[in-house]
Amino acid sequence: MHPVLFSLWGIDLHTYGLFVALGFITASVLAVREATAKGLKPEPFMDMLIAILVGGIAGGRGLFVVLNWGQFSSAPLDIFKLYQGGLAIQGAMVGSALAAWLVVSRAKIRFLAAADILAPYIALGQAIGRIGCFMNGCCYGKTTTCFAAVVLPGEIVPRIPTQLYYSAGLLLMFILLSLLKKKQYFEGAMFSFYLMLYSILRMTLDALRGDLMPLSSGFTLSQVIAMFFFVLGALLFVVSRARKGKACRK
């Protein structure tokens, strides 16, 4: 684990922030290139990406703080130490979606059309960002005797490298969504696929996490949120397909 990549003139370059930034930049460049190829003006699309960044950080950090309030109650200023890691992806998704909707509605861009373009690249950006989680030592897995394990600094027991599992799963999502996009589904399909696939990934891998406390139901709160997103994605798929069918019959 290398939470700090290097220090220059007394300033630390944190690995977590670096990989999150790399993921966002990579996803943004590829999304803007595709949007431009499809005839969309790059300026409002870039404005949407900036809004996604701001909304994602605000939503992700907000949910993380709520879920880990015991960590911040005695030191509330630590809320702003984003370089130490700590973003709840589900909160980031909600914050990003709301911010993007506000921007695209003003730019008269269809939200679902933009979301379909972004869907594969969101997964790719997250795959890169999860490497930062691994380097930072957060989002770690349960202890294990399996050979495919890592030992965190300060510990002697091996743990499941859930961060790398997330990254590999998200990379596979990117590949699958990129292939599905070629089939030219109805508007909203790609984003609904992303929501459902990501929810399945979280519901599966969160069960291997060692830093998440289960609720009385046996599920973690993040798994419950993932279930909600899966239902949301399924509803979006059904509604979008029905809307497409009505348009075809007119």
Side-chain angles (χ1 to χ4, degrees):
M1 308 298 172
H2 297 281
V4 178
L5 191 60
F6 61 82
S7 297
L8 184 64
W9 299 310
I11 300 175
D12 294 336
L13 178 61
H14 290 263
T15 313
Y16 176 83
L18 174 64
F19 276 94
V20 170
L22 285 175
F24 177 78
I25 292 171
T26 301
S28 298
V29 170
L30 293 174
V32 169
R33 186 178 68 176
E34 181 175 336
T36 303
K38 291 186 174 181
L40 295 176
K41 294 181 179 179
E43 291 79 8
F45 209 82
M46 292 175 68
D47 290 342
M48 182 188 68
L49 290 170
I50 294 173
I52 286 174
L53 175 63
V54 175
I57 292 175
R61 188 61 169 179
L63 181 57
F64 181 83
V65 170
V66 170
L67 296 177
N68 300 273
W69 179 241
Q71 174 184 338
F72 297 97
S73 58
S74 58
L77 291 180
D78 286 353
I79 294 174
F80 302 101
K81 295 181 179 180
L82 295 172
Y83 54 83
Q84 294 181 349
L87 293 175
I89 300 300
Q90 294 98 331
M93 290 167 62
V94 173
S96 297
L98 289 175
W101 179 79
L102 290 173
V103 171
V104 299
S105 60
R106 294 180 59 182
K108 297 182 179 180
I109 298 175
R110 297 191 308 278
F111 174 77
L112 289 180
D116 282 345
I117 292 174
L118 283 172
Y121 306 122
I122 295 174
L124 178 61
Q126 288 177 308
I128 297 172
R130 280 295 181 180
I131 299 175
C133 291
F134 177 73
M135 299 297 287
N136 192 52
C138 58
C139 306
Y140 52 84
K142 295 178 179 178
T143 57
T144 181
T145 56
C146 179
F147 72 94
V150 295
V151 178
L152 298 178
E155 295 188 350
I156 59 174
V157 293
R159 291 184 178 275
I160 302 170
T162 47
Q163 311 97 323
L164 299 182
Y165 291 174
Y166 282 127
S167 185
L170 287 161
L171 182 59
L172 289 175
M173 273 183 57
F174 164 69
I175 295 172
L176 178 58
L177 290 172
S178 298
L179 293 174
L180 289 173
K181 184 181 288 188
K182 295 179 180 180
K183 295 188 177 183
Q184 297 182 343
Y185 284 90
F186 48 85
E187 188 173 289
M190 296 307 304
F191 188 53
S192 64
F193 288 152
Y194 165 80
L195 290 174
M196 290 187 286
L197 289 172
Y198 182 72
S199 298
I200 293 171
L201 183 69
R202 287 304 300 259
M203 285 187 286
T204 303
L205 294 183
D206 280 7
L208 304 178
R209 292 272 290 270
D211 61 333
L212 299 176
M213 295 298 295
L215 303 173
S216 58
S217 62
F219 296 104
T220 66
L221 181 57
S222 61
Q223 286 178 306
V224 174
I225 296 174
M227 294 175 192
F228 168 78
F229 275 107
F230 182 87
V231 173
L232 182 63
L235 288 174
L236 176 61
F237 182 87
V238 172
V239 171
S240 298
R241 184 173 62 177
R243 184 182 301 171
K244 175 64 176 180
K246 290 181 180 179
C248 292
R249 289 194 293 268
K250 288 182 179 179

